[in-house]
């Protein structure tokens, strides 16, 4: 394909892109990895690990199959964090012990593992075996006591490797630029079941000895493991749920639409290429809503609302099977390539399944959270993070997280849709997924592809200058085509009437309101509303008792702002039973704004902290202060 491109064309593209974005012309080394990926590339890894719940550690070895890119290279550098490495050998006949050294740990990146190869080592392909064990504090693993699970009988372990936590449980090249296949042999206590982001056998005998194979090349952040008292319930022929026995029925009911979602996405963007699509329901300490681990999305239980109202989260994680897992951002500065595309696909799935009105509502809620994040980042002097392409060098990607790559990325694709038309954009996206399937791409790759298919055409409907506004300018560009929801306009009218005292709370026409109408109503109450007014709403709609985790979150934020004390017990119960960052962090932030609130935040946090996932604890320790136990 490349050879057939004319030299003229290549030169044009090169010059254009060079002129436009000199700094990002080739995906350089990943600022979040210490591995020497220019010298060696890991192509495959084999894990042999035992999950030791008593000591909260994984122990065993990993075999890394490496390809030498630089013939002169004699040292392999891997990413690690808080790993104890006991030996490194080069496999072969005979196997050979190698000299290794862990470098000094850096606060964000961890410690480089230097492995020296003998001077005589010239083979193109080599396999290194690293014997190691993880720390109980590994940032990418969460070890839960039985009390922190639904069933309260058995412990639970899950991993979360994105963005740069895989290195805390596997020594490897921890950068999304490198793709690898893997297999694993995992030993657990015999009463537990292990699952991975790989081919899982729903009928695997529960004996504590499990084997997995992932034959498709994926980036390291998608390697994932879950261990617990798990059972499987099929949903469709290629879909199903793994969960604790007490949760599996409600989960299978909640996510019944997953097969239709796959079909909708396939129709728009090409075949689902991963075989099965299963869900793993995690305990409530999971700090994310969902994680798109291939073949096995990891999910917070807080989306099981009972009425399927929060399933856009599944649409989102499923959509990553195209945007993210198939075509992957080459580093975290370009995370919008994963998340922005995925939000756009997610909304298209929602529209296909549930119609335009629902699509518009979810879209407007997304825009509102973007607007809030842009405002608060700008106010905090972090306006640079409101660009689509960010510079995260020297920063922890977890700390720089915001709605910007998600919802601004979605607006950028919406802008392209408005110029190209839907049919054309769909064709473009489908072509993009096909062209870069199983590859990692930089923002520049995307621009080049867009240039080839649109920007460079004589009749181009989008210019490079416009694209660069989207990618490089802070905030929401005036080019954006903002979503709008008529249903929400009607909610605004009702809210106004209630606020002005023209209508009583009990007379609001809420009977047909769905979760989205409630979120819009609650998220847009005036900041200085009196507590008594919330009392009116509570009396009419029992919002303090809402079991919908999203509605309760919006309500509790309002309650903190208004000083509405009847909600305090619910607030405490909420914060001590849910560890999803999006739901708890801003509640604490809101509490911290007043001296009384701060006291409450510190008291509740001291109680809740053991439930939360390690990276969230790090963030909240910084925000609230480490409790003095
Ligand atoms: N891949 C992300 C989760 C993630 C992002 C983990 C960055 C670590 C670092 C996942 O697809 C995601 O975006 N989850 C969202 C839900 C979604 C509906 C916006 C979440 O967890 O809130
Ligand atoms: Zn995502």
């Amino acid at each position: 394909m490349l050879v057939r491109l004319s030299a003229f064309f290549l030169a044009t593209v090169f010059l254009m892109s060079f002129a436009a974005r000199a700094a990002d012309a080739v995906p350089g080394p990943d600022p979040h990895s210490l591995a020497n990926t220019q010298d060696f590339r890991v192509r495959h890894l084999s894990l042999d690990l035992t999950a030791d719940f008593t000591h909260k550690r994984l122990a065993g070895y990993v075999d890394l199959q490496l390809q030498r890119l630089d013939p002169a290279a004699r040292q392999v550098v891997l990413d690690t964090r808080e790993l104890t490495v006991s030996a490194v050998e080069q496999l072969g006949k005979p196997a050979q012990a190698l000299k290794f050294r862990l470098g000094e740990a850096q606060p964000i990146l961890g410690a480089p593992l230097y492995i020296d190869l003998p001077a005589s080592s010239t083979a193109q392909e080599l396999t290194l075996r690293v014997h190691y064990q993880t720390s109980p504090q590994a940032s990418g693993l969460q070890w839960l006591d039985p009390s922190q699970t639904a069933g309260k009988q058995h412990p639970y372990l899950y991993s979360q490797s994105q963005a740069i936590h895989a290195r805390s449980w596997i020594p490897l090249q921890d950068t999304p630029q490198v793709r690898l296949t893997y297999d694993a042999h995992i030993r657990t206590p015999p009463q537990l079941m292990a699952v991975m982001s790989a081919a899982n056998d729903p009928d695997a005998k529960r004996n504590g000895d499990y084997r997995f194979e992932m034959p498709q090349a994926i980036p390291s952040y998608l390697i994932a493991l879950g261990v617990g008292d798990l059972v499987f319930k099929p949903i469709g022929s290629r879909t199903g749920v793994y969960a604790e026995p007490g949760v599996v029925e409600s989960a299978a009911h909640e996510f019944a639409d997953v097969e239709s979602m796959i079909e909708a996405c396939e129709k728009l963007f090409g075949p689902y290429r991963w075989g099965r699509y299963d869900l793993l329901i995690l305990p409530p300490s999971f700090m994310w809503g969902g994680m798109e681990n291939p073949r096995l999305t990891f999910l917070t239980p807080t989306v099981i609302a009972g009425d399927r109202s929060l399933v856009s989260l599944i649409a989102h994680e499923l959509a990553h099977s195209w945007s993210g897992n198939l075509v992957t951002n080459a580093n975290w500065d370009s995370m919008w390539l994963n998340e922005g595309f995925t939000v756009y696909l997610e909304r298209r799935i929602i529209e296909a399944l549930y119609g335009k009105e629902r699509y518009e509502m979810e879209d407007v809620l997304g825009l509102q959270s973007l607007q809030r994040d842009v405002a608060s980042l700008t106010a905090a002097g972090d306006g640079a993070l409101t660009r689509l392409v960010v510079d995260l060098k020297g920063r922890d990607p977890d700390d720089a997280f915001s709605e910007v790559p998600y919802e601004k990325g979605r607006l950028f694709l919406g802008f392209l849709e408005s110029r190209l038309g839907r049919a054309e954009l769909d064709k473009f996206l489908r072509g993009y997924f096909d062209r870069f399937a199983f590859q990692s791409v930089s923002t520049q790759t995307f621009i080049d592809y867009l240039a080839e298919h649109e920007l460079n055409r004589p009749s181009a409907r989008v210019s490079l200058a416009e694209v660069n506004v989207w990618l490089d300018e802070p905030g929401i560009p005036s080019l954006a085509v903002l979503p709008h929801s008529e249903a929400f306009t009607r909610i605004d009218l009702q809210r106004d009437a209630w606020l002005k005292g023209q209508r009583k709370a009990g007379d609001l026409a809420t009977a047909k309101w769905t979760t989205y109408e409630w979120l819009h109503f609650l998220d847009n109450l005036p900041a200085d509303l009196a507590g008594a007014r919330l009392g009116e709403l509570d009396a009419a709609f029992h919002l303090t008792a809402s079991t919908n985790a999203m509605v309760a979150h919006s309500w509790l934020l309002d309650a903190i702002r208004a000083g509405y004390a009847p909600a305090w017990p619910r607030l405490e119960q909420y914060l001590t039973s849910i560890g999803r960052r999006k739901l708890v962090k801003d509640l604490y932030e809101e509490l911290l704004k007043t001296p009384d609130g701060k006291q409450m935040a510190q008291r509740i946090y001291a109680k809740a902290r053991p439930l939360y996932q390690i990276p969230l604890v790090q963030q909240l320790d910084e925000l609230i202060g480490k409790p003095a136990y």
Side-chain angles (χ1 to χ4, degrees), residues 313-516:
L313 209 136
I314 308 276
H316 179 94
E317 305 312 335
L318 169 69
H320 273 306
S321 307
W322 286 260
S323 43
N325 298 4
L326 196 59
V327 182
T328 306
N329 54 214
N331 64 50
W332 301 113
D333 290 355
S334 285
M335 190 166 99
W336 78 277
L337 291 168
N338 276 16
E339 299 300 346
F341 278 62
T342 296
V343 172
Y344 179 79
L345 266 57
E346 163 201 333
R347 301 271 152 78
R348 295 291 303 277
I349 296 173
I350 294 301
E351 180 179 22
L353 263 76
Y354 309 113
K356 195 150 190 241
E357 183 162 273
R358 164 100 168 250
Y359 160 82
E360 288 169 348
M361 289 193 288
E362 295 210 23
D363 219 15
V364 170
L365 290 173
L367 172 66
Q368 290 175 357
S369 31
L370 173 65
Q371 287 165 331
R372 284 191 292 267
D373 269 12
V374 167
S376 63
L377 285 169
T378 309
D382 244 339
L385 288 181
T386 69
R387 301 169 202 263
L388 264 189
V389 180
V390 287
D391 179 5
L392 297 183
K393 192 183 273 145
R395 292 186 85 138
D396 186 335
D398 278 348
D399 294 343
F401 185 87
S402 83
E403 294 286 347
V404 171
Y406 289 78
E407 297 292 344
K408 184 174 175 180
R410 175 261 169 272
L411 289 177
F412 178 31
L413 290 190
F415 162 79
L416 293 178
E417 179 190 314
S418 75
R419 292 290 178 83
L420 271 62
R422 228 183 210 194
E424 281 254 350
L425 181 68
D426 288 355
K427 218 167 80 192
F428 171 82
L429 289 175
R430 198 182 170 134
Y432 170 80
F433 295 136
D434 283 342
R435 167 67 183 82
F436 298 109
F438 298 104
Q439 291 181 40
S440 302
V441 299
S442 65
T443 294
Q444 188 59 48
T445 317
F446 168 76
I447 298 172
D448 292 347
Y449 190 77
L450 186 64
E452 184 185 333
H453 292 269
E454 180 62 26
L455 311 179
N456 290 351
R457 290 175 15 160
S459 58
R461 292 150 290 187
V462 181
S463 72
L464 181 63
E466 289 172 317
V467 169
N468 283 333
V469 167
W470 275 102
L471 298 173
D472 293 335
E473 300 284 321
I476 303 174
S478 53
L479 289 167
V481 184
L482 299 182
H484 174 79
S485 157
E486 275 305 312
F488 281 180
T489 308
R490 295 193 291 271
I491 301 295
D492 292 337
L493 291 175
Q494 296 217 50
R495 191 195 308 100
D496 277 355
W498 173 69
L499 285 169
K500 291 194 188 116
Q502 294 160 351
R503 197 180 288 192
K504 289 208 176 77
D507 295 335
L508 292 171
T510 60
K512 294 203 179 110
W513 286 10
T514 62
T515 296
Y516 323 101

